[in-house]
Amino acid sequence: MSTDVSIPYIVMNRLSDLRKTRQLFHEDPYMRSFESKVLEAVEANGNVFVVLEETCFHPQGGGQPADTGHIEGENSKLEVLDTQSIGGVIIHISRMKLGEIRVDDLLRGEISWDTRYTYMKQHTASHIVFSAVQRILKIDDLQYMGFELGKEKARMDINYGKPISPEELRGIETFSNTICLESRPVKSWQTTREEAEGTYGDRLGLTDVTPAGKVRVVEVQDWDTSLCSGTHVGSTSECTPIRILGRFRLQKGVERLEFTSGKAAFQYIERDLETLNQLGRLLSIPVEKLSERVKRLVEDT
Ligand SMILES: [Zn+2]
């Protein structure tokens, strides 16, 4: 759970001159544990704000929640409650459980893997679903208006002028699951905005607010290419199945699409199947005859 702890001024002051943290989660998103030296540790407001030379804790940002977990030394242990990045310096917002830590201590960190792996699947699913939406709605320049990941489900907001129909939603889900079952490789790499723009042009959905300089390109083979700094799985098969949960109208021209993937999607499917089975038992008919019977019941009332 992220704590939403703001970083006190005294901490910001002490950390402002530190060099950027090496981001191990980009070198290997499957890395769960690592060792690193402490560059700075500041106690404030009952928390310890720890900066390491390198980390696989992903900070909150770009719609992806912060990693949590723990870091420990020979005689110390801290619970990491939240992870934030200030100008590329990654800050582990922690609670001291045992002992104390000092600059240059060598610590071992481990992220809460189940939660992170869920985010990796949901994040990759968002790329798969977004391109399925573009293809089903036949809009090449469709833009994200917002995006947020959760453990149970994720959502994306898109600039579409009318409600997405139930048939279109089914098409998006079917298309997305086809891509999952094809086990397409997912790759990411660092480049510059200028190079990415030169190679991929309009397909990246760049806007005036896209920062210049270094960016990360994420590619689902022959399906989706976009700029994204989150963590992703290596194959679309890991997102199986993808379930589109529904759509809502946010404001004029903005549709919100809710979806989920992997284990969380199975739980939604099991819930829906159980509902159908219960209805079948109530009406004493097989599930495949439910819609015909309910249609007649509605017509008769
Ligand atoms: Zn992403």
Side-chain angles (χ1 to χ4, degrees):
M1 278 286 286
S2 171
T3 56
D4 290 329
V5 174
S6 60
I7 298 173
Y9 181 70
I10 180 179
V11 178
M12 298 280 279
N13 229 7
R14 289 265 296 273
L15 307 184
S16 60
D17 291 334
L18 294 177
R19 64 175 177 271
K20 288 184 180 180
T21 311
R22 184 174 163 194
Q23 302 178 343
L24 300 172
F25 47 82
H26 277 152
E27 295 173 26
D28 178 6
Y30 291 88
M31 190 186 290
R32 306 175 191 201
S33 62
F34 63 101
E35 282 190 346
S36 180
K37 266 209 290 195
V38 177
L39 288 185
E40 189 60 276
V42 185
E43 279 191 60
N45 303 341
N47 291 312
V48 188
F49 297 79
V50 183
V51 177
L52 305 169
E53 270 185 335
E54 53 192 53
T55 187
C56 62
F57 281 80
H58 189 283
Q60 182 186 18
Q64 182 166 330
D67 278 335
T68 58
H70 64 268
I71 43 183
E72 59 190 11
E74 243 175 71
N75 301 304
S76 59
K77 181 162 185 172
L78 299 102
E79 183 184 0
V80 180
L81 307 167
D82 193 359
T83 310
Q84 298 290 327
S85 175
I86 306 289
V89 176
I90 295 178
I91 303 163
H92 306 80
I93 302 169
S94 312
R95 191 68 50 83
M96 188 66 80
K97 293 289 181 186
L98 184 75
E100 56 179 1
I101 58 167
R102 295 194 188 91
V103 170
D104 286 339
D105 277 359
L106 185 65
L107 301 183
R108 180 181 178 278
E110 184 166 348
I111 58 171
S112 300
W113 174 248
D114 283 353
T115 304
R116 153 67 90 71
Y117 188 44
T118 300
Y119 293 148
M120 285 163 62
K121 284 185 276 190
Q122 301 283 46
H123 215 148
T124 311
S126 76
H127 293 261
I128 298 169
V129 170
F130 183 72
S131 270
V133 172
Q134 278 185 310
R135 284 164 169 87
I136 292 289
L137 301 183
K138 298 184 174 62
I139 302 176
D140 289 340
D141 60 350
L142 193 67
Q143 300 263 330
Y144 270 140
M145 307 297 284
F147 168 66
E148 194 170 312
L149 293 182
K151 276 193 272 189
E152 304 299 321
K153 59 187 178 182
R155 63 173 171 81
M156 67 171 76
D157 303 332
I158 53 170
N159 62 335
Y160 187 51
K162 54 185 180 178
I164 302 174
S165 71
E167 294 73 28
E168 287 168 334
L169 288 177
R170 270 195 58 196
I172 292 163
E173 186 173 87
T174 303
F175 226 159
S176 299
N177 281 309
T178 303
I179 297 305
C180 290
L181 293 169
E182 288 175 357
S183 302
R184 297 197 187 204
V186 181
K187 291 182 180 148
S188 69
W189 63 92
Q190 189 172 276
T191 181
T192 60
R193 174 185 164 141
E194 293 69 27
E195 271 186 24
E197 209 167 2
T199 308
Y200 299 103
D202 292 344
R203 288 161 58 196
L204 290 174
L206 294 168
T207 66
D208 292 344
V209 295
T210 308
K214 288 178 181 171
V215 293
R216 287 194 74 78
V217 178
V218 177
E219 183 184 75
V220 179
Q221 191 181 68
D222 298 331
W223 183 252
D224 180 87
T225 309
S226 47
L227 296 186
C228 184
S229 60
T231 50
H232 307 84
V233 294
S235 166
T236 57
S237 63
E238 293 170 75
C239 301
T240 314
I242 287 177
R243 185 101 169 92
I244 305 295
L245 301 173
R247 56 149 292 278
F248 311 90
R249 172 111 308 202
L250 276 191
Q251 59 195 54
K252 201 167 184 285
V254 178
E255 280 279 280
R256 171 165 291 178
L257 202 62
E258 287 195 338
F259 59 94
T260 189
S261 62
K263 193 174 163 189
F266 271 120
Q267 285 165 350
Y268 278 97
I269 291 168
E270 280 170 357
R271 186 201 62 185
D272 291 350
L273 283 176
E274 183 49 31
T275 304
L276 285 174
N277 285 330
Q278 280 178 10
L279 285 172
R281 284 196 295 272
L282 275 171
L283 296 167
S284 302
I285 53 167
V287 167
E288 59 270 24
K289 292 192 174 166
L290 264 179
S291 89
E292 191 189 319
R293 173 69 66 87
V294 171
K295 196 174 163 206
R296 261 194 284 139
L297 284 171
V298 171
E299 283 168 358
D300 291 346
T301 53

